[in-house]
Amino acid sequence: MPVEPIHTNFTTIENSSLVDRVEASLVALLQQQKLKVGDSIPKEMELAEKLGVSRTVVREALLRLRMMGLIESKKKKGAVITSPDLFGTLSKSMNPHILSPETLREVFEIRLVLEIGMADFLFHRITKEDIAELRHIVASEPPVTQYHLFNVQHEIAFHGKLYDITGNNTLHKFQNMLLPVFDYVHHSGLLKKQPLLKVFVSHKELVDILENGTPEEFRNGMRNHLENHFARLFEA
């Protein structure tokens, strides 16, 4: 299906709005041409003619695509398709102080879902060396009590190692962005504050399951480990 041209009868629209439309049209055009990483994109003049706008507007739209990491300039090839850093732009926006309460709660929920769902990857890829490192991490943690539930540094050390074991670099990068938001929500008052916390499966017990248990046991153990967080979400 061809891209609908953007004609000059949009002159009454503010320039920023026109650039928005051209940016979207460029993304659609590049997808339709099925360009791969390393392929050259059409020249500015050709794009301007296809879309019915000035080269200035096309240039500004292309600049946005460069900032998003979708294209880059190469000597003798001009602008080419590149593989973007999926979390480069997202990481700049993942600031808990500028996100809405609804988005913060949803990010909080995403982390819970990911950690329950990683069991099969962990059991498929974990090594004896990973078990030893996890044992070393939990040995330095304070005891779990009714008054202590979440410390971001301990969470990064233990759960970060779990993400590392999965071998999924994209997931690991995502986790690094999620945990500060998780910590913020935990202390922000967005969720119901429990006077006394219930003590569930600890980090040490999760390591025991990883060493001697099954993926299903780990899923249940992680769900149990995160129970206080689920309770605060559902009772908020």
Side-chain angles (χ1 to χ4, degrees), residues 8 14 26-27 30 35-36 46 60 84 101 105 110 114 118 136 140 146 155 164 179 186 193 208 211:
T8 53
E14 291 183 4
L26 283 174
V27 172
L30 298 178
L35 299 179
K36 303 182 295 295
E46 182 182 347
E60 187 171 342
R105 284 176 60 93
I110 287 172
L114 288 176
M118 66 168 59
H136 178 73
S140 63
Q146 290 181 306
E155 293 290 300
D164 183 52
L179 275 175
H186 173 66
K193 185 174 179 62
D208 292 338
E211 186 171 26

Side-chain angles (χ1 to χ4, degrees), residues 105 109 191-192 223 227 229-236:
R105 284 176 60 93
E109 293 171 3
L191 305 178
K192 180 178 179 181
R223 174 61 177 81
E227 177 59 37
H229 297 308
F230 277 102
R232 297 182 69 200
L233 279 169
F234 298 149
E235 295 175 13

Side-chain angles (χ1 to χ4, degrees), residues 6-145:
I6 300 178
H7 299 294
T8 53
N9 59 356
F10 285 102
T11 52
T12 57
I13 299 178
E14 291 183 4
N15 191 56
S16 60
S17 298
L18 182 56
V19 174
D20 290 340
R21 292 174 62 88
V22 171
E23 178 189 348
S25 294
L26 283 174
V27 172
L29 179 64
L30 298 178
Q31 289 174 338
Q32 288 169 13
Q33 294 187 354
K34 298 182 179 179
L35 299 179
K36 303 182 295 295
V37 172
D39 288 346
S40 297
I41 70 170
K43 304 297 183 184
E44 285 182 8
M45 181 64 75
E46 182 182 347
L47 291 171
E49 292 176 355
K50 280 180 178 291
L51 299 173
V53 295
S54 70
R55 289 182 64 181
T56 301
V57 173
V58 169
R59 191 174 297 118
E60 187 171 342
L62 289 174
L63 178 60
R64 291 187 183 184
L65 299 188
R66 284 190 178 89
M67 293 175 65
M68 293 165 59
L70 295 177
I71 62 173
E72 62 181 355
S73 297
K74 293 283 188 180
K75 287 185 178 180
K76 300 181 180 180
K77 292 189 70 174
V80 301
I81 300 293
T82 187
S83 180
D85 179 358
L86 292 178
F87 298 120
T89 302
L90 181 59
S91 63
K92 297 173 185 177
S93 305
M94 196 68 83
N95 180 341
H97 298 284
I98 63 174
L99 297 175
S100 70
E102 293 76 15
T103 300
L104 287 169
R105 284 176 60 93
E106 289 173 357
V107 171
F108 191 92
E109 293 171 3
I110 287 172
R111 184 246 170 158
L112 300 178
V113 172
L114 288 176
E115 297 195 354
I116 294 171
M118 66 168 59
D120 290 280
F121 296 103
L122 291 172
F123 276 82
H124 183 71
R125 295 165 180 166
I126 199 166
T127 65
K128 290 182 179 179
E129 290 74 20
D130 291 326
I131 293 291
E133 187 171 343
L134 287 169
R135 295 275 185 212
H136 178 73
I137 290 170
V138 300
S140 63
E141 294 181 354
V144 177
T145 73

